[in-house]
Amino acid sequence: MFKSLTDKMSNAMRNLRGLGKISEENIAEALKEVKSALLSADVHFKVVKEFIEQVKEKCLGEDVTKSVSPGEQIIKIISDELTTLLGEGSDRTLTKKPLKIMLVGLHGSGKTTSSVKLAKLLAKDNYTPAMIACDVYRPAAIDQLEALAKQEDFKFYADRVSKNVPKLAEKCYKEAKSDGADLFIFDTAGRLQIDTDLVQEIIDLKKKVKPDEIFLVADSALGQESVNIAKHFHDAVNLTGIILTKIDGDARGGAALSMKHVTGIPILFMGTGEKMDEFSQFHPDRMASRILGMGDVVSLVERAQENIDEEEATLMAEKMRKADFNFEDFLSQLQQVKKMGSLSSIVGMLPGASDIEVGDEEEDRLKRIESIILSMTKKERTTPRLLNGSRRFRIAKGAGVEVKDVNALVKQHSQMRKMMKKMKGSKGKRMMAQMASKMGGGFPGM
């Protein structure tokens, strides 16, 4: 979502690093680029003005530390102010049990999907979720929630007859509570636009079920409209937090930068992809780091720890050290990396990787590689030397690719093994760098 903003901010940061001294004149010139980047990202102009003034004031009032260059000191100030802008207090955790959460939002914001994603995230903290369908206007919404709840093995409650939302919600809540649930998520109806009936319905629902939290699910692609919607819902039911969805899309990102500042409501969670586990707590400092092109290594490590088996990773490292890395191992590693999310989301967390384009082509290439390996027999995966011409033809046909694609993958694997063997010697470090350079180009012909 922040691709364009990150590119421009990264460029501004590079220019700032070259500053030899801090003065009102060169700070004003340097911050012009920062201001332009924020405005082009659809950040509210009043928010931008205040942000630039705050940065300028702190820069001029800052004593330059001798061990840090003036440019780096300004970058640190910008990072701190950006973190504040994104929302101090967004890192609060939900610990109350039992916990009742009501989700509100417009139609198409990803509310129903987000409700189950949120339940899955909180289930890791030993909550027992109950999904309660409160959209009586769209049968498809109830069906979707039921299907997703079943997929995650969550309790599901609905009343497909009643149109009295507060009454049916209370009934479902009591039933879920008696069944042992301690997390109750009420998925309310969305609308294409704010209307009086919707507002009154959620007001009445709030009075009846008395939720502990009321979260607005906001589509980041709505830009400044998201800010207006947040204010409207907040006036009606006193929101306690925001879930920002579709953050992996191509929206300009202004909503996320403006929302907390304008409404005072913290962004607590964000949806980072379509998969059910591509949903996480919102960390303003980490997001500020990503926007400034510094990556988000902390989140990357957390995601790796959660999805990659440590024992298997250790075993794999030993196999690579002995140059005993076959296609079965490669498949295992590929599938573990896939658990971490899309390739673009992973690359986006790497420092200095903001200018690396990762689109559908790269994702498709990994899928083709996986398909080729899955089309091999178990013996072929563990013994790559068996892959003669006729076997490669069969594999290509099974994977739906050309023989040259299979040949390219086999050749790449052979080169990797040769590199690993050479790395055993005194030139290991240099060979590692060469292999990294080769791997950076991907698989030839794929």
Side-chain angles (χ1 to χ4, degrees), residues 105-109 111 135 138 189-195 198 222 225 229 233:
L106 299 187
H107 175 63
S109 61
K111 186 163 42 57
D135 186 348
R138 288 195 315 120
R191 292 289 189 279
L192 292 175
Q193 60 184 17
I194 298 290
D195 60 56
L198 169 64
L222 286 177
E225 189 60 25
I229 290 167
F233 274 104

Side-chain angles (χ1 to χ4, degrees), residues 84-228:
T84 302
L85 182 64
L86 282 164
E88 291 179 329
S90 294
D91 57 350
R92 72 180 178 89
T93 55
L94 304 178
T95 56
K96 185 180 182 296
K97 281 190 178 183
L99 179 62
K100 292 179 283 185
I101 302 175
M102 188 169 89
L103 298 189
V104 299
L106 299 187
H107 175 63
S109 61
K111 186 163 42 57
T112 299
T113 304
S114 293
S115 67
V116 182
K117 286 183 176 183
L118 176 61
K120 185 170 184 177
L121 184 68
L122 294 178
K124 295 176 183 178
D125 294 326
N126 297 316
Y127 277 101
T128 301
M131 311 308 300
I132 300 175
C134 297
D135 186 348
V136 298
Y137 310 102
R138 288 195 315 120
I142 301 176
D143 294 339
Q144 182 189 10
L145 184 62
E146 182 177 24
L148 291 173
K150 185 177 181 180
Q151 176 186 306
E152 301 299 331
D153 200 25
F154 295 154
K155 300 177 186 294
F156 169 79
Y157 300 88
D159 186 335
R160 296 177 185 271
V161 178
S162 175
K163 298 299 180 183
N164 187 324
V165 173
K167 189 175 180 179
L168 74 85
E170 183 182 38
K171 171 192 169 186
C172 290
Y173 163 68
K174 288 180 179 178
E175 187 178 344
K177 189 176 181 181
S178 67
D179 288 343
D182 57 13
L183 171 63
F184 311 90
I185 299 183
F186 301 87
D187 179 30
T188 66
R191 292 289 189 279
L192 292 175
Q193 60 184 17
I194 298 290
D195 60 56
T196 306
D197 291 341
L198 169 64
V199 172
Q200 190 57 52
E201 183 176 272
I202 60 176
I203 290 173
D204 294 340
L205 178 60
K206 177 186 176 182
K207 290 178 181 177
K208 180 66 74 172
V209 300
K210 297 179 174 58
D212 303 294
E213 304 281 351
I214 303 177
F215 296 157
L216 170 69
V217 180
D219 184 343
S220 59
L222 286 177
Q224 290 306 306
E225 189 60 25
S226 292
V227 177
N228 297 329

Side-chain angles (χ1 to χ4, degrees), residues 389-404:
S390 60
R391 288 175 184 262
R392 294 185 190 193
F393 179 80
R394 189 203 78 243
I395 292 167
K397 190 174 180 180
V401 300
E402 296 182 27
V403 175
K404 68 176 184 179

Side-chain angles (χ1 to χ4, degrees), residues 116-362:
V116 182
K117 286 183 176 183
L118 176 61
K120 185 170 184 177
L121 184 68
L122 294 178
K124 295 176 183 178
D125 294 326
N126 297 316
Y127 277 101
T128 301
M131 311 308 300
I132 300 175
C134 297
D135 186 348
V136 298
Y137 310 102
R138 288 195 315 120
I142 301 176
D143 294 339
Q144 182 189 10
L145 184 62
E146 182 177 24
L148 291 173
K150 185 177 181 180
Q151 176 186 306
E152 301 299 331
D153 200 25
F154 295 154
K155 300 177 186 294
F156 169 79
Y157 300 88
D159 186 335
R160 296 177 185 271
V161 178
S162 175
K163 298 299 180 183
N164 187 324
V165 173
K167 189 175 180 179
L168 74 85
E170 183 182 38
K171 171 192 169 186
C172 290
Y173 163 68
K174 288 180 179 178
E175 187 178 344
K177 189 176 181 181
S178 67
D179 288 343
D182 57 13
L183 171 63
F184 311 90
I185 299 183
F186 301 87
D187 179 30
T188 66
R191 292 289 189 279
L192 292 175
Q193 60 184 17
I194 298 290
D195 60 56
T196 306
D197 291 341
L198 169 64
V199 172
Q200 190 57 52
E201 183 176 272
I202 60 176
I203 290 173
D204 294 340
L205 178 60
K206 177 186 176 182
K207 290 178 181 177
K208 180 66 74 172
V209 300
K210 297 179 174 58
D212 303 294
E213 304 281 351
I214 303 177
F215 296 157
L216 170 69
V217 180
D219 184 343
S220 59
L222 286 177
Q224 290 306 306
E225 189 60 25
S226 292
V227 177
N228 297 329
I229 290 167
K231 290 176 67 177
H232 198 108
F233 274 104
H234 187 48
D235 290 342
V237 292
N238 194 24
L239 300 171
T240 61
I242 293 171
I243 297 175
L244 200 62
T245 64
K246 305 178 185 178
I247 205 166
D248 57 322
D250 57 1
R252 288 180 287 180
L257 290 169
S258 305
M259 204 173 288
K260 168 62 169 66
H261 187 82
V262 174
T263 64
I265 308 161
I267 301 171
L268 299 181
F269 301 96
M270 61 181 183
T272 57
E274 294 182 2
K275 296 179 181 178
M276 296 308 295
D277 54 0
E278 290 184 319
F279 186 87
S280 62
Q281 187 173 347
F282 184 83
H283 296 280
D285 54 340
R286 301 183 191 182
M287 186 57 70
S289 180
R290 290 180 68 174
I291 290 173
L292 296 178
M294 300 173 189
D296 182 4
V297 176
V298 177
S299 293
L300 183 60
V301 170
E302 286 179 350
R303 194 179 291 188
Q305 289 175 334
E306 190 173 308
N307 293 283
I308 294 180
D309 183 86
E310 186 176 349
E311 186 177 337
E312 187 173 342
T314 303
L315 178 64
M316 202 64 65
E318 180 63 17
K319 289 172 76 71
M320 292 184 75
R321 189 182 69 79
K322 294 179 179 179
D324 185 27
F325 189 75
N326 56 45
F327 281 116
E328 187 74 12
D329 301 320
F330 192 2
L331 179 64
S332 175
Q333 289 296 287
L334 190 60
Q335 291 176 337
Q336 287 206 52
V337 170
K338 281 177 63 180
K339 291 178 185 176
M340 291 175 62
S342 64
L343 191 60
S344 58
S345 69
I346 295 173
V347 171
M349 295 181 188
L350 298 173
S354 61
D355 57 344
I356 297 177
E357 293 284 349
V358 180
D360 294 339
E361 186 178 339
E362 286 75 15

